[in-house]
């Protein structure tokens, strides 16, 4: 193969890689309003609306947890999580939900909680089986 053909193939490969990286999903935070417009999965950051409480009855359905959250723009929506209620949910300062919006309800597949700490801010993920994974 000639040198010009090899250089051309490398250039094309670099351009394709660059275009794919531009088109990649950029995990930026959205709002409930943005999530309602598209059926794909979104990351929504906000705060638990403590006045509205939570719904969790382990005897009736241990894999159904519901609450209300206010997003960064101030919109309040119902959130349903098909998993066990996260430990120390009431102590969390901030929430990041990963999921989809359907009929004015956000169905979370993951809940990330920012918990208060004396020394550092820990972000933890609560999995559907109730296990906790910490992020630093």
């Amino acid at each position: 193969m000639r040198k010009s053909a090899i250089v051309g193939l490398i250039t094309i490969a670099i351009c394709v890689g660059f275009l794919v990286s531009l088109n990649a999903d950029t995990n930026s935070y959205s709002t409930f309003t943005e999530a309602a417009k598209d059926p794909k999965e979104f990351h929504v950051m906000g705060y638990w609306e403590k006045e509205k409480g939570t719904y969790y009855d382990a005897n009736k359905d241990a894999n159904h947890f519901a609450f209300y959250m206010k997003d960064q723009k101030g919109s309040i929506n119902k959130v349903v999580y098909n998993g066990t209620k996260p430990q120390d949910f009431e102590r969390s300062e901030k929430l990041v939900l990963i999921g989809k919006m359907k009929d004015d309800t956000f169905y979370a597949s993951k809940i990330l909680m920012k918990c208060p700490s004396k020394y550092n801010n820990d972000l933890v993920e609560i999995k559907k089986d109730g296990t906790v994974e910490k992020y630093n």
Side-chain angles (χ1 to χ4, degrees):
M1 245 178 159
R2 296 186 327 195
K3 287 183 181 182
S4 61
I6 293 172
V7 170
L9 288 174
I10 291 173
T11 304
I12 290 172
I14 290 171
C15 290
V16 168
F18 179 73
L19 291 175
V20 168
S21 70
L22 285 178
N23 198 24
D25 192 15
T26 59
N27 293 337
S28 62
Y29 297 117
S30 301
T31 62
F32 287 128
T33 306
E34 293 168 357
K37 294 178 185 176
D38 198 344
K40 71 177 188 172
E41 200 167 71
F42 284 91
H43 291 71
V44 179
M45 182 186 293
Y47 304 91
W48 169 47
E49 278 294 297
K50 295 178 183 178
E51 298 81 32
K52 295 193 178 215
T54 62
Y55 174 77
Y56 181 71
D57 186 355
N59 294 327
K60 188 174 180 181
D61 185 0
N63 289 320
H64 181 82
F65 175 55
F67 60 96
Y68 286 85
M69 186 177 97
K70 181 188 287 188
D71 67 12
Q72 293 175 319
K73 298 283 185 177
S75 178
I76 299 172
N77 275 79
K78 182 178 182 179
V79 176
V80 174
Y81 176 61
N82 290 324
T84 58
K85 180 180 176 185
Q87 185 179 356
D88 295 332
F89 178 81
E90 290 81 6
R91 290 185 40 206
S92 65
E93 291 179 346
K94 210 181 254 191
L95 300 170
V96 176
L97 306 176
I98 301 170
K100 299 177 182 181
M101 191 77 149
K102 182 179 178 186
D103 300 329
D104 293 332
T105 301
F106 191 85
Y107 292 91
S109 58
K110 289 184 182 178
I111 298 177
L112 302 172
M113 299 186 316
K114 183 173 180 172
C115 298
S117 175
K118 184 175 179 180
Y119 301 106
N120 59 6
N121 292 328
D122 295 330
L123 190 66
V124 296
E125 174 185 346
I126 309 300
K127 299 188 183 247
K128 288 189 180 197
D129 62 0
T131 58
V132 177
E133 184 175 327
K134 287 189 177 187
Y135 295 96
N136 291 326

